[in-house]
Amino acid sequence: MALFQKSPALKQGERRAVQRYTVDCAAKLKMPGGDRKGRLSDLSEAGARFDTQDPPQKGVSGLLAWGDHEFFGKIAWANENSCGMIFERPIPPSIVESTCEIVEVQAGPVANFGNIPVAKRGRRASLVSRDS
């Protein structure tokens, strides 16, 4: 029995069998060669996108951990700052839903209303009168 099996045939041009969701939470990829810290940015029942400064190569197996969850999978693709993981078994939809509720927002400066340009009243009035 193979660790990963091909999913049922999909329509031509369609790559994913399940819906994926945009998420944003801290995560860790645990591998025999060392752990990688990063952010979970995409999640579905079948896999996830993990953003990190040093992603592992395609084919590497490991545990993707976030919050109280850990799931085993294999790296399906990688680029210079992220990788895609396919889970060994689909994860429960309830975990996908609860993770979608975790969106960590970094606090930043509040907009200063003094820096927002204000339209001049006369300009709009002159445009309206030309169109009449």
Side-chain angles (χ1 to χ4, degrees):
M1 178 175 198
L3 180 63
F4 293 97
Q5 298 177 357
K6 279 192 168 181
S7 58
L10 300 174
K11 294 177 186 174
Q12 190 164 2
E14 192 175 317
R15 294 175 24 202
R16 291 181 177 83
V18 293
Q19 175 144 3
R20 60 186 177 149
Y21 299 91
T22 300
V23 296
D24 182 26
C25 63
K28 184 186 287 188
L29 184 56
K30 300 175 180 180
M31 302 171 298
D35 296 349
R36 305 262 170 50
K37 291 182 180 182
R39 306 225 29 107
L40 189 62
S41 62
D42 186 296
L43 182 65
S44 75
E45 294 171 34
R49 178 182 179 132
F50 178 67
D51 299 329
T52 184
Q53 291 181 352
D54 185 23
Q57 295 179 344
K58 179 180 176 178
V60 172
S61 297
L63 279 171
L64 184 60
W66 71 95
D68 295 333
H69 311 294
E70 276 189 344
F71 294 97
F72 185 78
K74 193 175 209 177
I75 303 300
W77 60 267
N79 61 29
E80 62 272 352
N81 56 7
S82 62
C83 61
M85 176 176 258
I86 298 173
F87 297 128
E88 178 182 21
R89 288 184 221 118
I91 67 174
S94 60
I95 292 177
V96 175
E97 289 174 20
S98 67
T99 302
C100 288
E101 294 172 4
I102 303 172
V103 178
E104 297 174 4
V105 179
Q106 295 183 4
V110 177
N112 181 348
F113 288 108
N115 292 336
I116 300 173
V118 179
K120 294 184 179 179
R121 189 170 204 159
R123 171 96 172 119
R124 183 160 194 243
S126 65
L127 290 175
V128 171
S129 63
R130 284 188 204 163
D131 293 337
S132 303

